[in-house]
Every structure is written in structure tokens, then in C-alpha cells.
């Protein structure tokens, strides 16, 4: 069993908040974590002789939906339990009912019931839920596995996580071939079932072609005009396709950093398929050997590092890239709530070298700290104020800042 970093954080939130929303794409482990949380809460409450029982309802199951035919009555009857509602985006009309139940118990000075809401689609809908349940809900995102969640982390395990991606079923498969087949099925399920269920009328083959085109342009500035021409659709349609994949938590838009430096700055976001395993499956890359010979290898490693960093970074950390028209560039900027900025350059080489563009960009941004992340394990200064280090060590530093 993989111990997820988010486990204790969400357990604490469930014990003190009336409602907790746990977001994440399908198959990322939300349901498994929910059952672990239920067991953890039971064990903690046993010491106080006040055992919290749990109920799990899958809102894609006709049987479970039938149990909620009168949701107010059903939830009132189980107000002393932890109610886990999976795929909550399928029944958005439940949010006002949950708000009413929470407020009702508050007015009666009774302990609030506990609701754990799992959602795998439509980030906009989840934002609406936080508005409906404002002051009553905590929200978290469960991401694919990070390097910190892998026991006995070695170079081999890092390569395995990189090539297979962080979806638990993909990472834990017996062979690369089985993992690749799992990811192909995952993509097909999204195209043929999940996206149509959201009411999207985009043909599955069009979305597959678009998704694959994104993979070929990984970590690039999205040129909607070229995509629209190649797919035979409008630029507005391209924007809609990107929005959909972002809402499904499968694609990331990394925004450019804007500062008052008097330079011509790139102002469009970079687009990333967030999980490298899905990226590789879209490109037909089924092994480390085939990846190392592919033109996408640098962009793939950049994605791997960025996603790990953002998945471990403290809450409310802002993330950006920086690029000027003259070529000054920083792969990743992390801006923390206290105003500190860390500049991170990502190099696939075991002997990384910094280009002038990085130094020029740092002169513009004036980061608090500078790092180079590379595939090796040794840490050493590459300049007087910039340190080279491996991914896992950097994540440990980032996590200490999070815990601090």
C-alpha cells in the first residue's frame, strides 16, 4: 500500500470541517484514500469511545442513486456518520442540500455531520461547490504519485515513475507493457465515456487527435491557430478543448510571470499534459529506451519535475515560467505566500550547464533562491548562489518549507 502524503492533512480536515472536497482525475486513488481516511478516523475515535462509522455512495451507481432518491431524508438519517459521496460532479443539486443540513445542525448546536466529496471532473463545478459551501468546506487535490511517495526510491524507481507516470495502477503494474496497456485503456475510457458524460459533443476521434497534438507540442506555447487549421475547427473550439482537459485535471496551463522589468515578455501560457505516463502513451512510447530516443525526452523530463514540484509545494504557492522575446528564460518559478521566489532550471543532462538566458532572466526576476534539478543524486553549487540537486532532495526541501 502506498502512503499518500495528503492522507493526514485530509484526515485532519475531515475531523474539523463539515465538508471536504477531494479533487483528482479518475483512477488517481481518491476512493482508496477515502476508505483509508474512514478507517483512520475510526481508529482515532475509538480511543475516545466515539466511533465514527462511514457510508460510501458512488453517484454513478444506479443503486446508490436510488438510495438518494430523497437525499434530505437519507442524509438526516445518517447525520452521525462520515458520508462519502463519489463523483459528486454528477449530482450538483446535492450541494445546496448539504449546505442546508450543515447550517441546520449549527443552529441546533449539534456537531456537524462529516461529508467527504470526491470529484474527478469539472473544476468549475467544484469552484461552484466551494461558493455554495463557503465557510463550510475545505478543498484538496489528490495528484498522481510523487517521488516522495515511493518507498526505496532509487534511480530505477525514478525512471519507472517517469516512464509510467503517477497513476497508481499504471505505476504498480508488473511490466512496462502492462502499464502501457493500462494507460491506453485509460485514454480510451476518457474519450469514449467520461468526456461524453460531461455533455461534450466533441467527437472522440477529434479529441484524440487534439490530445495527441498537445503531446507532440508538450511544454510549448499553445498556438491555437495552427491547431485549429490542422483539426479543421475554429480557434474558439481549440480553447474549449483545452478548457475541458484542464477541468478534467489532465492538462496544466502554466502561466507566464509578469513583472515590471521593461522587457517584451511572452504572455501566453505553456501547455503540459500533466502525467508523463499519459503523455508517453499518447505518443506510443512504451519503454525508457524508446523515450530516450524520442525528441520529446527533454520536455517529458521537464514535465516530470514541474508536476512533482507543484504537487508537493505548499498551499497557495503560485507557479509560473519566465520568458522574454530576447530569449531570457526560467523553466519554473515558485512564488510563496511570504513573497519569496525560487527559480528552477530543469536539465536532463547528468552534467548540467546553465545558459546565459537563465542568468539574464534571474537578473530580471531577482529570485530569492536558484536551483538546477537534474536526474542525478549529488548536490553541489554550480555558481555562488545556485545549487544543482536531484529531484527527490529538492522535494524534501520543498516539503520542509510546506511543513514549516
Amino acid at each position: 500500500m502506498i502512503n499518500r502524503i495528503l492522507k493526514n492533512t485530509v484526515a485532519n480536515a475531515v475531523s474539523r470541517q463539515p465538508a471536504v472536497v477531494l479533487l483528482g482525475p479518475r483512477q488517481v486513488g481518491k476512493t482508496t484514500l477515502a476508505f483509508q481516511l474512514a478507517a483512520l478516523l475510526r481508529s482515532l475515535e475509538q480511543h475516545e469511545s466515539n466511533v465514527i462509522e462511514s457510508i460510501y455512495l458512488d453517484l454513478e451507481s444506479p443503486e446508490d442513486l436510488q438510495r438518494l432518491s430523497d437525499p434530505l431524508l437519507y442524509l438526516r438519517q445518517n447525520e452521525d456518520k462520515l458520508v462519502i459521496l463519489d463523483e459528486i460532479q454528477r449530482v450538483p443539486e446535492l450541494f445546496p442540500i448539504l449546505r442546508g443540513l450543515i447550517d441546520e445542525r449549527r443552529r441546533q448546536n449539534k456537531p456537524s455531520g462529516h461529508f467527504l466529496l470526491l470529484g474527478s471532473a469539472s473544476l468549475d463545478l467544484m469552484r461552484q461547490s466551494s461558493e455554495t459551501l463557503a465557510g463550510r468546506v475545505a478543498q484538496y487535490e489528490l495528484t498522481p504519485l510523487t517521488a516522495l511517495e515511493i518507498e526505496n526510491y532509487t534511480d530505477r524507481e525514478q525512471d519507472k515513475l517517469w516512464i509510467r507516470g503517477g497513476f497508481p495502477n499504471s505505476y504498480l503494474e508488473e511490466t512496462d507493457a502492462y502499464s502501457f496497456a493500462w494507460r491506453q485503456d485509460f485514454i480510451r475510457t476518457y474519450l469514449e465515456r467520461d468526456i461524453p458524460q460531461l455533455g461534450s459533443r466533441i467527437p472522440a476521434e477529434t479529441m484524440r487527435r487534439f490530445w495527441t497534438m498537445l503531446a507532440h507540442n508538450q511544454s510549448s506555447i499553445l498556438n491555437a491557430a495552427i491547431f485549429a487549421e490542422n483539426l479543421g475547427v475554429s480557434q474558439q473550439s481549440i480553447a474549449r478543448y483545452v478548457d475541458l482537459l484542464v477541468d478534467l485535471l489532465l492538462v496544466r496551463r502554466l502561466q507566464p510571470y509578469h513583472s515590471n522589468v521593461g522587457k517584451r515578455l511572452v504572455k501566453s501560457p505553456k501547455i503540459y499534459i500533466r502525467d508523463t505516463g499519459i503523455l508517453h502513451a499518447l505518443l506510443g512510447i512504451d519503454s525508457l529506451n524508446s523515450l530516450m530516443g524520442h525528441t520529446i525526452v527533454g520536455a517529458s523530463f521537464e514535465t516530470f519535475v514541474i508536476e512533482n514540484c507543484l504537487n508537493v509545494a505548499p498551499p497557495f504557492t503560485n507557479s509560473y515560467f519566465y520568458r522574454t522575446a530576447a530569449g531570457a528564460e526560467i523553466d519554473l518559478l515558485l512564488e510563496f505566500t511570504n513573497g519569496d521566489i525560487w527559480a528552477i532550471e530543469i536539465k536532463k543532462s547528468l552534467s548540467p550547464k546553465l545558459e546565459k538566458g537563465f542568468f539574464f532572466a534571474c537578473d530580471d526576476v531577482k529570485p530569492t533562491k536558484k536551483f538546477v534539478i537534474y536526474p542525478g543524486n549529488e548536490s553541489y553549487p554550480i555558481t555562488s548562489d545556485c545549487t544543482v540537486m536531484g529531484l527527490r532532495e529538492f522535494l524534501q526541501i520543498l516539503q520542509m518549507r510546506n511543513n514549516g
Side-chain angles (χ1 to χ4, degrees), residues 133-259:
L133 299 174
R136 309 165 183 85
V137 65
Q139 185 169 302
Y140 301 92
E141 181 183 343
L142 184 65
T143 67
L145 298 171
T146 69
L148 288 183
E149 294 171 311
I150 306 301
E151 293 185 5
N152 304 316
Y153 195 74
T154 61
D155 290 346
R156 182 177 179 179
E157 290 302 311
Q158 175 166 292
D159 287 343
K160 177 180 170 182
L161 183 62
W162 177 26
I163 185 66
R164 296 184 179 187
F167 284 90
N169 289 338
S170 176
Y171 174 76
L172 294 171
E173 280 286 5
E174 293 181 11
T175 67
D176 283 348
Y178 289 160
S179 171
F180 184 75
W182 184 91
R183 282 174 276 137
Q184 292 281 16
D185 288 340
F186 176 92
I187 292 168
R188 184 164 48 250
T189 299
Y190 259 98
L191 292 170
E192 296 177 359
R193 189 193 74 172
D194 295 338
I195 291 177
Q197 281 182 349
L198 290 173
S200 171
R201 298 181 180 179
I202 306 170
E205 185 55 34
T206 299
M207 181 54 75
R208 175 180 284 277
R209 288 178 59 202
F210 176 69
W211 208 351
T212 304
M213 288 171 65
L214 287 181
H216 281 286
N217 290 272
Q218 183 78 349
S219 83
S220 299
I221 305 295
L222 178 66
N223 189 324
I226 292 178
F227 276 73
E229 181 180 354
N230 289 337
L231 286 176
V233 299
S234 67
Q235 293 188 42
Q236 290 78 8
S237 294
I238 296 299
R240 184 162 55 91
Y241 298 170
V242 173
D243 287 343
L244 176 60
L245 291 174
V246 169
D247 281 355
L248 289 168
L249 306 172
L250 298 171
V251 163
R252 181 183 299 280
R253 276 186 291 240
L254 187 64
Q255 297 295 334
Y257 181 79
H258 292 159
S259 59

Side-chain angles (χ1 to χ4, degrees), residues 254-261 263-270 318-324 328 330-336 339-342 361-362 364-367:
L254 187 64
Q255 297 295 334
Y257 181 79
H258 292 159
S259 59
N260 297 319
V261 296
K263 302 288 180 71
R264 290 181 58 201
L265 302 177
V266 171
K267 297 182 180 181
S268 299
K270 292 171 72 172
N318 293 318
S319 58
Y320 309 95
F321 74 95
Y322 181 83
R323 183 186 295 176
T324 69
I330 299 172
D331 291 328
L332 179 64
L333 288 171
L334 297 179
E335 183 180 48
F336 302 103
D340 285 354
I341 297 177
W342 290 5
C362 287
D364 295 340
V365 177
K366 297 177 173 53

Side-chain angles (χ1 to χ4, degrees), residues 3 103 106-107 114 117 126 154 211 259 268 271 332 339 378 403:
N3 190 28
D103 291 348
R106 283 178 172 175
R107 288 193 298 271
H114 299 277
L117 314 176
M126 293 298 107
T154 61
W211 208 351
S259 59
S268 299
I271 303 295
L332 179 64
E378 182 184 359
N403 294 337

Side-chain angles (χ1 to χ4, degrees), residues 26 67 79 82 102 105 108 110 121 124 127 132 149 155 244 280-281 297 307 347 380:
R26 288 186 184 275
R67 295 164 71 183
E79 62 183 12
L82 171 65
I102 292 169
R105 292 183 64 77
Q108 296 171 354
K110 294 181 180 179
D124 284 337
R127 292 193 187 102
T132 304
E149 294 171 311
D155 290 346
L244 176 60
H280 300 152
V297 61
E307 286 303 312
K347 297 293 184 182
Y380 58 90

